[in-house]
Amino acid sequence: MLGFFISERLYPTKVYGEEGKRMSKLITCEEAVKMIKSGSRIMVGGFGLVGAPLSLIAALAQSEVKDLEIISNNLGEPGKGLGVLVRQKQVKKAIGSYFTSNPEVVQSYQNQEMEVELLPQGTMSEAIRAGGAGLGGFYTPVSVGTKIAENKEERTIAGKKYVFQEPLKANFALVKANKADQLGNLIYNKSARNFNPMMATAADVVIAEVDEVVEVGQISPEEIITPHLYIDFIVLKGGN
Amino acid sequence: MLGFFISERLYPTKVYGEEGKRMSKLITCEEAVKMIKSGSRIMVGGFGLVGAPLSLIAALAQSEVKDLEIISNNLGEPGKGLGVLVRQKQVKKAIGSYFTSNPEVVQSYQNQEMEVELLPQGTMSEAIRAGGAGLGGFYTPVSVGTKIAENKEERTIAGKKYVFQEPLKANFALVKANKADQLGNLIYNKSARNFNPMMATAADVVIAEVDEVVEVGQISPEEIITPHLYIDFIVLKGGN
Amino acid sequence: MNIKQYIAARAAKELKDSDIVNLGIGIPTLVADFIPSDVQVFLHSENGILGVGPTPDPEHIDQDLVNAGKMPVTVLNGSSYFDSASSFAMIRGGHVSVSILGVLQIDAKGRIANWAVPGKSVLGVGGAMDLLEGSKKVIVTTMHTTNKGESKIVKELTYPITSERAVDLIITDLAVFTVKEDGLHLIELAPGISLEEAQQKTDAPFHIAGSFKKGKEVTA
Amino acid sequence: MNIKQYIAARAAKELKDSDIVNLGIGIPTLVADFIPSDVQVFLHSENGILGVGPTPDPEHIDQDLVNAGKMPVTVLNGSSYFDSASSFAMIRGGHVSVSILGVLQIDAKGRIANWAVPGKSVLGVGGAMDLLEGSKKVIVTTMHTTNKGESKIVKELTYPITSERAVDLIITDLAVFTVKEDGLHLIELAPGISLEEAQQKTDAPFHIAGSFKKGKEVTA
């Protein structure tokens, strides 16, 4: 939609001429999941099932990994998305904002099979951003005086009360995007964007599940939401 | 470039059918500047002259306002952009990261005509974002142990030293975008984006100078960088 | 119009042209159906949409386009998408004009509980605290009493509080209250509701606005 | 090749395929001209570009497209634009592989001063502190001595420090040093430079790497 000037005349074929070389980020779901060890801390994108990397989650459910610490807004639905990992008791701890929609999470929690840490949705998304942005934490007015803030540092700044929130980081981030180019630049579809762009910045290894991989240059520099420097690996949805 | 589904069938003409009504954000530079009183704190977008709202600045230079507190990465060049306000002694204080490129700023500072507060560029941009995002402040590792941090709170978090930075807010933000639609949704051009999107979130009154105003719907929902809720007024570049 | 629609319709009258509005789940969702045709508001959904439109026909459902209640929606011309951190920056930063929320309880100072039930595992908070803290104006829409007939407007909350910030307006099937420094002020009764009935069904003490009139909208 | 180009060419050899690289003003800018053809790096500019390309011909200058030195640039295929907060989030968050910076002074522990001069009004810091704090690897390129012949590598900084974080590699017209816990290690001398000359022109003490060889690249 926006025109943009690419100096192809100046940098002719050198950089992207070698077909295949720049596809090295593309791996299978199985290869992706093999990197993940039991006990890992994993961020998983999505608001419910929308914008969740369902193929990567399915591969994780097929694997033997357990004792996972999951950072995700929700834990799927019973038997769907992250709900499968809950049902299979692969999750040791979950950090998120809203788990009530999956009754099996409530049950697992009550059976003491799983720990839960609850954050307001805005605090959670900001903490992930802070993790990726190298900040040591921030003060938010949200949750002051509530149960959520009971063990948190409170501070008055310019006459208003705030609570301190530490950044969130993880060993892995599994995110879902609409398109990746071969370098790993990402764009998202509609409300499936949600937590994915922040999570893509906040983990040691970031794996993006995408509907489609396009040639470099097919996504305008103005449109890119997640620049490729954040993406380590790409998998195709539904597939190897 | 991205297709998107707009439910025009469902919401036919009601919302945007009344031509002109939604143009109410469009005003002249003179009208914009009339809102600004002496002593105001104003954020001004741009990295040097790139992405700076030069028509709004010119109108401000034509006005009688003085004692301004300017939050901007730079203060233009001698006699250009914000440099005109410096030359005309309209600036009481400047908060930014790099003023050295305008020798007249150095001179004004040495003559004690102007106060200066210096922030590392990343701390400054993050502080503006924090202001717009309702945060009480944040900890950054940048500037620890330097002159910049001399009067700032230092804190060790997870073994690493950080300094506390308060959020920045302003009475007005003057930003520069490429296109606005009639609602005030904005997109930016190339590296002219810089500080503008954050500043658009962090002031009581936000005025966007744009190259072009387009019909609502001409900018895809995926492409919009600054949603219209942040924009109070629009002025056309070069124009009345 | 059923009673919940009545509440929603009453809440819709509070919206002004150009308002940025966030609607919670339940009665608040119904408000969208009653916005006057000469008032254009923009619906914000905290999962990352400004400009939410009506529910699509089944054949137009897009699985990547849901509201904060995870229900399929459409978007209107001029809408935009953004990530969750940006969405909550809008909310927390005071850029949402009005949030309309459901509640479990409201206390005599207008503070609410709407996220957790005592004795049950607390496993969800979502965006409730952010919306209550950050929205310029907060309107609560609720049935006046629980299914068991207990007042939801109580002297002191027995459910966990959502925020120290009080709401601005309370709209129930029986009455409308504004919230001021000194507590709740009754400004309106629903058609057919007597002051006595409202008093009887409200545990919290409240003031009665001087300009109060039965069954009519009044300005406090 | 002049001496500054020599330094830049030597620095370019440190870059690896796929590195995200931020180049400071001065000698660092020249590094772009010497990147080996089999190494693809992505140049990051802190004003909001990933994928900076070469300087445009005069007729292709776009006034909205400049680098952090405010000079016109182009972008390559696959580039992206972002706002300043996002750009510095990348830097501070450790997502830039290598920054190559100029300096005023380097101390015996490898810490640098490159933003302010004592006795002059300090009116600019820019992105220097962020880049030094956040980049995974920091390489300094500089002339070994000032115009007056004074060593830039000093026992203790007399100029204001930029960060407590030490740099990783120092490349001058005379020598190359790595920085370790115990200080500077000479790993290389420029062609025609004797160890004695390097020692004489370096105020700070330094170790001499075991594998050190004159005029040849060595691995410390």
Side-chain angles (χ1 to χ4, degrees):
Chain A
M1 203 159 271
L2 289 173
F4 53 96
F5 170 68
I6 298 290
S7 61
E8 278 166 310
R9 191 183 54 75
L10 295 163
Y11 261 44
T13 54
K14 183 196 114 190
V15 177
Y16 302 104
E18 295 155 52
E19 270 302 301
K21 184 186 175 194
R22 291 294 137 206
M23 291 295 287
S24 58
K25 286 185 180 179
L26 191 64
I27 59 173
T28 66
C29 285
E30 287 65 36
E31 286 168 333
V33 162
K34 259 186 205 149
M35 291 185 274
I36 301 176
K37 304 297 171 221
S38 290
S40 292
R41 187 182 234 215
I42 312 179
M43 290 182 179
V44 185
F47 185 79
L49 301 174
V50 177
L54 295 176
S55 299
L56 282 166
I57 293 169
L60 210 47
Q62 293 279 323
S63 78
E64 301 290 312
V65 297
K66 54 182 185 175
D67 295 330
L68 297 175
E69 192 168 325
I70 301 288
I71 300 175
S72 191
N73 192 54
N74 320 96
L75 283 169
E77 298 172 9
K80 284 186 184 171
L82 290 170
V84 181
L85 303 189
V86 174
R87 186 175 283 178
Q88 296 182 172
K89 305 192 195 310
Q90 292 175 279
V91 182
K92 185 184 63 181
K93 183 177 178 181
I95 301 173
S97 94
Y98 199 77
F99 300 130
T100 325
S101 44
N102 184 349
E104 296 183 2
V105 173
V106 181
Q107 206 177 336
S108 281
Y109 174 76
Q110 285 168 344
N111 295 346
Q112 298 185 311
E113 292 164 359
M114 203 175 85
E115 288 173 69
V116 163
E117 187 180 331
L118 216 56
L119 292 170
Q121 200 173 141
T123 304
M124 179 190 164
S125 52
E126 190 69 21
I128 296 167
R129 183 188 175 280
L135 300 176
F138 59 89
Y139 289 98
T140 174
V142 174
S143 85
V144 166
T146 71
K147 264 174 125 56
I148 296 271
E150 265 171 7
N151 299 309
K152 294 190 178 176
E153 175 204 332
E154 187 177 302
R155 176 168 174 172
T156 299
I157 300 166
K160 190 174 161 88
K161 285 188 279 185
Y162 295 86
V163 294
F164 179 67
Q165 176 62 44
E166 292 197 349
L168 285 173
K169 298 197 73 172
N171 306 116
F172 295 89
L174 309 182
V175 304
K176 171 66 174 60
N178 177 25
K179 288 184 192 178
D181 69 16
Q182 294 173 349
L183 288 173
N185 288 307
L186 303 184
I187 55 171
Y188 302 88
N189 191 35
K190 302 188 176 74
S191 66
R193 193 181 302 188
N194 56 64
F195 290 86
N196 289 299
M198 287 85 71
M199 287 181 172
T201 71
D204 301 330
V205 177
V206 179
I207 307 166
E209 175 177 331
V210 302
D211 299 322
E212 192 184 353
V213 179
V214 301
E215 293 289 314
V216 174
Q218 293 286 300
I219 311 175
S220 126
E222 308 280 6
E223 270 185 296
I224 290 167
I225 300 296
T226 297
H228 64 76
L229 56 66
Y230 287 119
I231 304 303
D232 297 298
F233 298 101
I234 302 166
V235 303
L236 272 167
K237 181 182 173 172
N240 42 356
Chain B
M1 207 160 274
L2 288 174
F4 54 95
F5 170 68
I6 298 288
S7 62
E8 278 167 311
R9 191 184 54 78
L10 294 162
Y11 262 42
T13 53
K14 185 195 112 188
V15 177
Y16 303 104
E18 296 155 52
E19 269 303 302
K21 183 185 175 197
R22 294 292 139 205
M23 290 296 288
S24 58
K25 286 184 179 179
L26 191 65
I27 60 174
T28 65
C29 285
E30 288 64 35
E31 287 168 333
V33 162
K34 260 186 206 149
M35 293 184 274
I36 300 177
K37 305 295 170 221
S38 290
S40 293
R41 186 183 234 217
I42 312 179
M43 289 181 180
V44 185
F47 184 81
L49 301 174
V50 177
L54 295 176
S55 299
L56 283 166
I57 294 169
L60 208 51
Q62 294 280 322
S63 79
E64 301 291 312
V65 298
K66 54 181 184 177
D67 294 330
L68 297 175
E69 191 167 325
I70 301 287
I71 300 175
S72 192
N73 192 55
N74 321 96
L75 283 170
E77 298 172 12
K80 284 189 184 170
L82 290 170
V84 180
L85 303 190
V86 174
R87 186 175 283 180
Q88 296 181 174
K89 305 194 197 308
Q90 291 174 278
V91 182
K92 184 184 63 179
K93 182 178 177 180
I95 301 173
S97 94
Y98 199 78
F99 301 129
T100 324
S101 45
N102 185 347
E104 295 183 2
V105 173
V106 181
Q107 207 177 337
S108 282
Y109 174 77
Q110 285 168 345
N111 296 346
Q112 298 184 311
E113 292 163 358
M114 202 174 84
E115 287 172 70
V116 164
E117 185 180 332
L118 215 57
L119 291 171
Q121 200 174 140
T123 303
M124 178 190 166
S125 53
E126 190 69 21
I128 296 166
R129 183 187 175 279
L135 299 176
F138 58 89
Y139 289 99
T140 174
V142 174
S143 85
V144 166
T146 72
K147 264 173 125 58
I148 295 269
E150 266 171 7
N151 299 310
K152 294 191 177 175
E153 175 205 333
E154 187 178 301
R155 177 167 172 173
T156 300
I157 300 166
K160 190 174 161 88
K161 286 188 279 185
Y162 295 86
V163 293
F164 180 66
Q165 176 61 45
E166 290 198 352
L168 286 172
K169 298 197 71 171
N171 305 117
F172 295 89
L174 310 181
V175 303
K176 170 68 174 58
N178 176 23
K179 289 184 189 176
D181 69 18
Q182 295 174 350
L183 290 173
N185 288 307
L186 303 183
I187 54 170
Y188 302 88
N189 191 36
K190 302 189 175 76
S191 66
R193 190 181 303 188
N194 55 63
F195 290 86
N196 289 299
M198 286 85 69
M199 288 181 171
T201 71
D204 301 331
V205 177
V206 179
I207 307 166
E209 174 177 332
V210 301
D211 299 322
E212 191 185 354
V213 178
V214 300
E215 293 289 316
V216 175
Q218 294 285 302
I219 311 175
S220 128
E222 308 281 5
E223 268 185 297
I224 290 166
I225 300 296
T226 297
H228 64 77
L229 55 67
Y230 288 118
I231 304 303
D232 297 298
F233 299 102
I234 301 166
V235 305
L236 271 167
K237 179 181 174 172
N240 45 357
Chain C
M1 187 152 57
N2 66 32
I3 193 68
K4 289 186 175 176
Q5 287 171 320
Y6 165 79
I7 298 171
R10 177 61 192 81
K13 289 186 184 170
E14 297 294 321
L15 301 179
K16 296 190 299 293
D17 203 45
S18 296
D19 273 351
I20 309 298
V21 181
N22 188 294
L23 301 178
I25 297 167
I27 297 173
T29 302
L30 303 175
V31 173
D33 298 334
F34 298 98
I35 298 167
S37 64
D38 59 338
V39 172
Q40 181 190 8
V41 304
F42 301 96
L43 298 183
H44 175 273
S45 188
E46 61 262 37
N47 56 321
I49 313 171
L50 180 64
V52 176
T55 306
D57 297 329
E59 66 268 29
H60 283 112
I61 287 176
D62 181 332
Q63 59 175 9
D64 280 346
L65 187 47
V66 299
N67 65 13
K70 304 195 176 87
M71 301 303 292
V73 292
T74 53
V75 291
L76 301 178
N77 223 350
S79 63
S80 52
Y81 301 113
F82 28 82
D83 65 49
S84 305
S86 301
S87 187
F88 282 92
M90 285 176 191
I91 294 169
R92 206 177 37 230
H95 307 287
V96 169
S97 322
V98 184
S99 280
I100 306 184
L101 304 174
V103 287
L104 297 167
Q105 284 185 329
I106 308 158
D107 78 6
K109 292 185 170 170
R111 298 175 305 187
I112 68 167
N114 74 343
W115 69 287
V117 176
K120 288 199 180 174
S121 304
V122 178
L123 293 178
V125 58
M129 292 183 176
D130 302 87
L131 285 163
L132 191 47
E133 169 62 39
S135 305
K136 275 185 208 150
K137 181 176 182 175
V138 177
I139 299 173
V140 154
T141 55
T142 181
M143 296 297 288
H144 205 94
T145 58
T146 66
N147 291 341
K148 296 179 184 168
E150 294 159 344
S151 176
K152 287 190 170 188
I153 306 176
V154 296
K155 288 189 191 72
E156 285 188 16
L157 299 176
T158 56
Y159 287 36
I161 196 167
T162 306
S163 171
E164 291 182 352
R165 183 245 170 104
V167 304
D168 298 283
L169 195 71
I170 301 160
I171 300 173
T172 79
D173 51 326
L174 305 186
V176 179
F177 302 86
T178 54
V179 180
K180 297 188 179 178
E181 281 287 308
D182 61 353
L184 312 181
H185 289 246
L186 180 75
I187 59 167
E188 198 179 319
L189 286 172
I193 304 300
S194 68
L195 180 57
E196 294 65 35
E197 183 177 352
Q199 284 173 319
Q200 187 214 323
K201 292 186 173 169
T202 307
D203 275 3
F206 57 84
H207 304 271
I208 297 168
S211 56
F212 155 78
K213 280 186 196 158
K214 258 193 191 177
K216 274 203 170 176
E217 252 189 285
V218 290
T219 316
Chain D
M1 185 152 59
N2 66 32
I3 194 67
K4 289 185 176 178
Q5 287 171 319
Y6 165 77
I7 297 170
R10 177 61 191 82
K13 290 186 185 170
E14 297 295 319
L15 302 179
K16 295 190 301 290
D17 202 43
S18 297
D19 274 351
I20 309 298
V21 180
N22 188 296
L23 300 178
I25 298 167
I27 298 173
T29 302
L30 303 177
V31 173
D33 299 335
F34 296 98
I35 297 168
S37 64
D38 59 339
V39 172
Q40 181 191 6
V41 303
F42 301 97
L43 297 183
H44 175 275
S45 188
E46 61 263 36
N47 57 322
I49 313 171
L50 179 64
V52 176
T55 306
D57 296 330
E59 68 267 29
H60 282 113
I61 287 176
D62 181 331
Q63 60 176 8
D64 281 344
L65 187 47
V66 299
N67 64 13
K70 302 194 177 87
M71 301 304 290
V73 292
T74 54
V75 290
L76 302 179
N77 223 351
S79 63
S80 53
Y81 301 113
F82 28 84
D83 65 48
S84 305
S86 301
S87 186
F88 281 93
M90 283 176 193
I91 293 168
R92 205 176 36 230
H95 306 287
V96 169
S97 322
V98 184
S99 280
I100 305 184
L101 305 174
V103 287
L104 297 167
Q105 284 185 330
I106 307 157
D107 78 6
K109 291 183 172 174
R111 297 175 307 188
I112 68 168
N114 74 343
W115 69 287
V117 176
K120 288 201 180 176
S121 304
V122 178
L123 293 179
V125 56
M129 291 182 177
D130 301 86
L131 284 163
L132 191 47
E133 170 60 39
S135 305
K136 274 185 211 152
K137 180 175 183 176
V138 177
I139 299 174
V140 153
T141 54
T142 181
M143 296 297 287
H144 205 95
T145 58
T146 66
N147 292 338
K148 297 179 184 165
E150 293 159 346
S151 177
K152 288 190 170 189
I153 305 176
V154 296
K155 286 189 192 70
E156 286 186 18
L157 299 175
T158 55
Y159 286 37
I161 195 168
T162 306
S163 171
E164 292 184 349
R165 183 245 170 101
V167 304
D168 298 283
L169 194 72
I170 301 159
I171 300 174
T172 79
D173 51 325
L174 306 186
V176 179
F177 301 86
T178 54
V179 179
K180 297 187 180 180
E181 282 288 307
D182 61 353
L184 312 181
H185 289 247
L186 178 75
I187 58 166
E188 200 178 317
L189 286 172
I193 305 301
S194 67
L195 180 58
E196 294 65 35
E197 182 176 356
Q199 283 172 320
Q200 187 214 323
K201 292 185 173 171
T202 308
D203 275 3
F206 57 85
H207 304 270
I208 297 168
S211 57
F212 154 79
K213 280 189 198 156
K214 261 192 188 180
K216 273 204 172 179
E217 250 188 285
V218 289
T219 317

